[in-house]
Amino acid sequence: MRSFESKNRTSTEDIKSLRLITAIKTPYLPDGRFDLEAYDDLVNMQLEDGAEGLIVGGTTGEGQLMSWDEHIMLIGHTVNCFGGSIRVIGNTGSNSTREAIHATEQGFAVGMHAALHINPYYGKTSIEGMISHFDSVLSMGPSIIYNVPSRTGQDIPPRVIHTLTQSPNLAGIKECVGNDRVKQYTDNGIVVWTGNDDQLHDARWDYGATGVISVTSNLIPGLIRQLLFEGKNPSLNSKLMPLIEWLFQEPNPIPLNTALAQLGVIRPVFRLPYVPLPLAKRVEFVKLVKSIGRENFVGDKDVQVLDDDDFILVGRY
Amino acid sequence: MRSFESKNRTSTEDIKSLRLITAIKTPYLPDGRFDLEAYDDLVNMQLEDGAEGLIVGGTTGEGQLMSWDEHIMLIGHTVNCFGGSIRVIGNTGSNSTREAIHATEQGFAVGMHAALHINPYYGKTSIEGMISHFDSVLSMGPSIIYNVPSRTGQDIPPRVIHTLTQSPNLAGIKECVGNDRVKQYTDNGIVVWTGNDDQLHDARWDYGATGVISVTSNLIPGLIRQLLFEGKNPSLNSKLMPLIEWLFQEPNPIPLNTALAQLGVIRPVFRLPYVPLPLAKRVEFVKLVKSIGRENFVGDKDVQVLDDDDFILVGRY
Amino acid sequence: MRSFESKNRTSTEDIKSLRLITAIKTPYLPDGRFDLEAYDDLVNMQLEDGAEGLIVGGTTGEGQLMSWDEHIMLIGHTVNCFGGSIRVIGNTGSNSTREAIHATEQGFAVGMHAALHINPYYGKTSIEGMISHFDSVLSMGPSIIYNVPSRTGQDIPPRVIHTLTQSPNLAGIKECVGNDRVKQYTDNGIVVWTGNDDQLHDARWDYGATGVISVTSNLIPGLIRQLLFEGKNPSLNSKLMPLIEWLFQEPNPIPLNTALAQLGVIRPVFRLPYVPLPLAKRVEFVKLVKSIGRENFVGDKDVQVLDDDDFILVGRY
Amino acid sequence: MRSFESKNRTSTEDIKSLRLITAIKTPYLPDGRFDLEAYDDLVNMQLEDGAEGLIVGGTTGEGQLMSWDEHIMLIGHTVNCFGGSIRVIGNTGSNSTREAIHATEQGFAVGMHAALHINPYYGKTSIEGMISHFDSVLSMGPSIIYNVPSRTGQDIPPRVIHTLTQSPNLAGIKECVGNDRVKQYTDNGIVVWTGNDDQLHDARWDYGATGVISVTSNLIPGLIRQLLFEGKNPSLNSKLMPLIEWLFQEPNPIPLNTALAQLGVIRPVFRLPYVPLPLAKRVEFVKLVKSIGRENFVGDKDVQVLDDDDFILVGRY
């Protein structure tokens, strides 16, 4: 189903050079549909503060709560409105090879620059099955492989990655296992983005990582960029650590969603099974913002503590 | 779900000014999936020969045989690759209001410039129901209303159209009832594209139509453009009439599909319930091409008579 | 994907013997989902008053406004709850051959006794295409072909039907063209159900029709049964004619939906593009009920005139 | 969307009493569609050998590789053909609350007796989110909660289960954490089925488990029944252990699929990302069958070692 129209083609090399990729949040209207106005604002803030790539519909963007038509539409929308300014990486992976094939084919057709691919979570498979799974989609275009055993229940071992490096489309790895694993790859010339914000500074400066696929950059894109581009900065890194810890106290994107709502840049709407952090944690976030400086966060409204009643939780949408 | 990013926004006025809009064919791979390479070639030929707009997934493009995710993907793809050069009008109408709402919302989100809307065919409805149906989607962006009672089983009467003119998004009408109906609208300042290629010359020059949404322009875009832009030309019009009659001897797009396959610009793959014209008709087409001149048709291969065995018919895809 | 489990297998001969088949209404909850409690009540009333078969998701049941998963679920539900007492005929036809194949396969898998198949409406096709379309699905199980050119824009000519009679699965024709066409088939031993309630008495007694696939029997199943089973009864037929005319003054199921809501057997919820009849017509219905006798209608609440505000119209659901 | 038709209603108490529930395999045709004939045969073998319940579309049945319409169809099919003889438990859980709601509603509508619900795998959520997720579906009918942290990446802690016991619809827990956890629940009167075949004997006789939701019973239903119903039998249990270990050497259902194909009861078709075990392991299986006795396994063909070429792997289906 390949198109050879060249307008949006991006080389795998281009993807390899990206340092700051934000796993962008998907905001919702009160009925649970996408809030594209808010989304566009979020993306514009990323552009202004220096993000170079976006993961659309990642776990942060709650791709797991989207129907595929919503998901591909959001990729197409992002390409159409922002594809000239930022690299759009669609999370078209799936634990079903069929779905990964279909979504990836569609994602490239609507112009995404690269695909993010996960190993088959939950269903899991053998090593041979994992390789067959990735082989089914790697030929379609530039691809990043995503390893996050704490979610998938199954590590992608280095030998799988080394097999996949035979494909010219493999741009690199989003690795969440830790910096030793990062180094194992970067020592062998494989591009890595850490998926752990708390390790990004060291991953970048000490372990050879190209950059980060970040959750935290949804909130403070400029500071994350500073950590990646302006040399070692352990003091800034330390200063951000309490915020990063706050963001991962519960499964992401629960804290992120809560934070963005309190910053006034998204409506306080959650698609279940996500629910907001409790009040005490919401109060903490306001303190963290004040400590780091409101001006470093996205948006320009006062940060506020939302009440329980302010949040809308939707199950049917 | 509206986005206000302005990149691809097109005013209703822009849509009103388009003269040559091609209801573009959707070509297929042997397994029934879209053949995007061939599609891109078809679109490029339209661009070169002066088409100003495309209907994506119209009845000619076999939107009725697409799943919605395919359909929206094709709109997104077209916008992404060609949206800067040609106006992309998605056929996001449906006989189900729910589907029309969902598809139109998604189509505008991926950047289509306008929507084509049909009245509820097959299921049909009352006049009040028809108006409610169109009201549900007109607010989303520039829209063309499509009237083709020979397909829908129900005429959209002028009083419905007059009600809809209250919406600033109504760009105009694709009208297939005939030139008297065309004139009834154009006399009242309503923009009309005829949907009947055999009437397009007169519609344009004698009945006030702005132009045509054409099937025939899939084959001879340059000549159709000439009919629309270079003044009255009854002799050219007469010369094309046998081709146009050939194209509508069976329900469109059966002859068109057969013709494009014989011109070598698409694979000879039909999604059922469409099947190729019989051999005798296929022979006729080759003669028509020679009579009008191969150089006036899209593609540059020799036109050929295909055998029955050359065609692939797919039911599951 | 065939199953040979015999539990619900029905022979084509069994289907041929059904006289009273009701094209059952699908009732909705205020959010537009199916109201299965009300549906089950409607079906039970049909059982009590002698209907022998149901069309599930026909045009009356608004199959055109269902997603396929809803549609197959409703067929499965009906089979599960009532399949031992009444024949369940799923309207798994489509103008897309792919969709007809997929839905028919699924419908038989969940136990439907027969399929109703329409020719490709709106998109239309050639005679050869029509035959290929039906051939793609006829092998799956007992089938009724549905001809209604006023909806489809294209008559199924007798020569197509005669070709299809080669399949042992062809149970018969639902024919809406009129009683001369009915006779043309019945003279040749082809089973016919008229799709026109105003002609059912004569079709049955003078033109050889086996019975009717009825809309009116949603309201007065017992009286329709009487017309079919108890000998010629022109006086009863005449008495019912005003009701039948009222029911078809606007595209079905608009009046039926309005009537059932006023009888208190369904919630007054319409999926767009259907909207209720205006007040004056609603008043008329109450008079018709009184004239024919409330006891002959389904339900046991007083018939009432609903206000405009009582109705809920849903576009997104 | 609830139906109150009572035909297939099953009380939660009935579900609680089931000892042997098989997580039934879904077999495929060479094009990847369901092979319902083979499926029906598999179910009949379960019936004959004493299984009392089936999980339809579990991880063993590869629900994660089904579209929802396939999945609900398979539930409806199973209910329709076998619902009078065996309890049908649909795996209508999902990591998306929306999908779990929709599928569970549809599953009960087509007559399933109970639902199996998983916590949100991969996406994960907070404790509060987990409870909200289960609360969204528990009201619909008898439900089993499934805890398998090795797949989901997140344990369902006992305090969540204790909260859910407030619902009269909670039938019990499918627990894979181990027998200490099993005992923790059974000591408190909560029904448990172990999800670990290697622990089922002890779970049943020493830890209070009601029974098992078994993978191995796809192969040897009679022997698994014996382990559950005929008193402690450590010798039989030991005898089966090598088979059970063989079955879980790679992520289930890879070995099971390989085994069933070699027993000749399913076609050797795998949906990716599953691929067959390598030859050496396939040879081992034949030895295991001979050691336990072919007559104890489903089917009556000779067990054979399949060649690599015998297997069909499908990615698009």
Side-chain angles (χ1 to χ4, degrees), chain A residues 1-5 7-8 33-34 36-37 40 44 69 73 77 79-81 102 105-106 109 111, chain B residues 1-5 7-8 33-34 36-37 40 44 69 73 77 79-81 102 105-106 109 111:
Chain A
M1 213 184 65
R2 190 124 193 205
S3 158
F4 288 107
E5 280 302 309
K7 188 176 158 239
N8 280 286
R33 281 180 298 144
F34 293 168
L36 288 186
E37 278 184 71
D40 295 343
N44 275 319
D69 73 314
M73 180 276 282
H77 171 74
V79 169
N80 182 49
C81 292
H102 186 70
E105 199 166 58
Q106 292 205 331
Chain B
M1 212 183 66
R2 191 126 195 202
S3 158
F4 289 108
E5 280 301 307
K7 189 178 157 234
N8 280 285
R33 280 180 301 143
F34 294 167
L36 288 186
E37 279 184 71
D40 294 344
N44 275 318
D69 72 315
M73 180 277 281
H77 171 74
V79 168
N80 183 48
C81 292
H102 186 69
E105 200 166 57
Q106 291 205 333

Side-chain angles (χ1 to χ4, degrees), chain C residues 1-5 7-8 33-34 36-37 40 44 69 73 77 79-80 102 105-106 109 111, chain D residues 1-5 7-8 33-34 36-37 40 44 69 73 77 79-80 82 102 105-106 109 111:
Chain C
M1 216 183 65
R2 191 125 193 204
S3 158
F4 289 107
E5 281 300 307
K7 189 174 156 237
N8 282 285
R33 282 179 300 143
F34 293 167
L36 288 186
E37 277 185 71
D40 294 344
N44 276 318
D69 73 313
M73 180 277 282
H77 170 75
V79 168
N80 183 47
H102 185 72
E105 200 167 57
Q106 292 206 330
Chain D
M1 213 184 65
R2 191 125 194 203
S3 157
F4 289 108
E5 281 301 306
K7 188 175 158 238
N8 281 285
R33 283 180 299 143
F34 293 167
L36 288 186
E37 278 185 70
D40 294 344
N44 275 318
D69 72 314
M73 180 277 280
H77 170 75
V79 168
N80 182 48
F82 307 101
H102 186 70
E105 199 166 57
Q106 291 205 331

Side-chain angles (χ1 to χ4, degrees), chain D residues 15-77:
Chain D
I15 300 299
K16 286 181 180 176
S17 70
L18 306 172
R19 289 212 187 281
L20 176 49
I21 301 171
T22 295
I24 191 83
K25 158 72 184 162
T26 309
Y28 306 115
L29 297 170
D31 67 359
R33 283 180 299 143
F34 293 167
D35 181 350
L36 288 186
E37 278 185 70
Y39 178 81
D40 294 344
D41 286 346
L42 293 179
V43 175
N44 275 318
M45 294 168 200
Q46 293 296 319
L47 287 173
E48 284 162 19
D49 285 351
E52 303 162 283
L54 297 174
I55 303 289
V56 177
T59 41
T60 302
E62 301 177 6
Q64 63 275 18
L65 306 185
M66 295 178 184
S67 58
W68 276 115
D69 72 314
E70 284 183 317
H71 200 145
I72 300 298
M73 180 277 280
L74 191 62
I75 293 171
H77 170 75

Side-chain angles (χ1 to χ4, degrees), chain A residues 37-232:
Chain A
E37 278 184 71
Y39 178 81
D40 295 343
D41 286 345
L42 293 179
V43 174
N44 275 319
M45 292 170 202
Q46 293 295 320
L47 286 174
E48 283 162 21
D49 285 350
E52 303 163 283
L54 297 175
I55 303 289
V56 176
T59 41
T60 303
E62 301 178 5
Q64 63 275 18
L65 306 186
M66 295 177 184
S67 57
W68 276 116
D69 73 314
E70 284 183 317
H71 199 144
I72 300 299
M73 180 276 282
L74 190 62
I75 293 171
H77 171 74
T78 311
V79 169
N80 182 49
C81 292
F82 306 101
S85 314
I86 199 163
R87 296 303 176 191
V88 179
I89 302 159
N91 175 29
T92 56
S94 172
N95 62 345
S96 158
T97 309
R98 163 168 68 172
E99 294 188 26
I101 289 172
H102 186 70
T104 305
E105 199 166 58
Q106 292 205 331
F108 280 118
V110 300
M112 69 179 183
H113 301 106
L116 181 70
H117 283 295
I118 193 82
N119 53 315
Y121 51 85
Y122 184 57
K124 304 203 283 193
T125 186
S126 61
I127 294 299
E128 292 70 26
M130 218 183 259
I131 291 170
S132 294
H133 176 78
F134 289 127
D135 277 349
S136 301
V137 290
L138 266 177
S139 64
M140 297 183 187
S143 305
I144 299 173
I145 303 293
Y146 179 19
N147 189 33
V148 58
S150 66
R151 287 187 182 275
T152 61
Q154 191 175 28
D155 184 39
I156 307 176
R159 63 176 162 134
V160 168
I161 298 299
H162 286 289
T163 302
L164 301 180
T165 56
Q166 293 164 16
S167 166
N169 284 331
L170 183 72
I173 315 302
K174 176 184 178 188
E175 182 57 78
C176 299
V177 161
N179 280 339
D180 290 339
R181 179 72 67 86
V182 169
K183 188 160 189 309
Q184 193 178 345
Y185 289 132
T186 58
D187 281 353
N188 283 282
I190 299 173
V191 167
V192 179
W193 296 269
T194 180
N196 300 336
D197 284 336
D198 60 340
Q199 298 181 321
L200 81 91
H201 177 270
D202 296 353
R204 165 74 173 100
W205 300 110
D206 297 332
Y207 294 87
T210 294
V212 66
I213 296 182
S214 178
V215 173
T216 310
S217 60
N218 276 281
L219 297 177
I220 48 168
L223 295 181
I224 300 297
R225 184 175 168 96
Q226 200 175 328
L227 278 186
L228 288 168
F229 281 84
E230 302 182 12
K232 278 200 185 192

Side-chain angles (χ1 to χ4, degrees), chain B residues 48-76:
Chain B
E48 283 162 20
D49 285 352
E52 303 163 283
L54 297 175
I55 303 289
V56 177
T59 42
T60 303
E62 301 179 3
Q64 63 275 19
L65 306 185
M66 295 177 186
S67 58
W68 275 115
D69 72 315
E70 285 184 316
H71 200 143
I72 299 298
M73 180 277 281
L74 190 62
I75 292 171

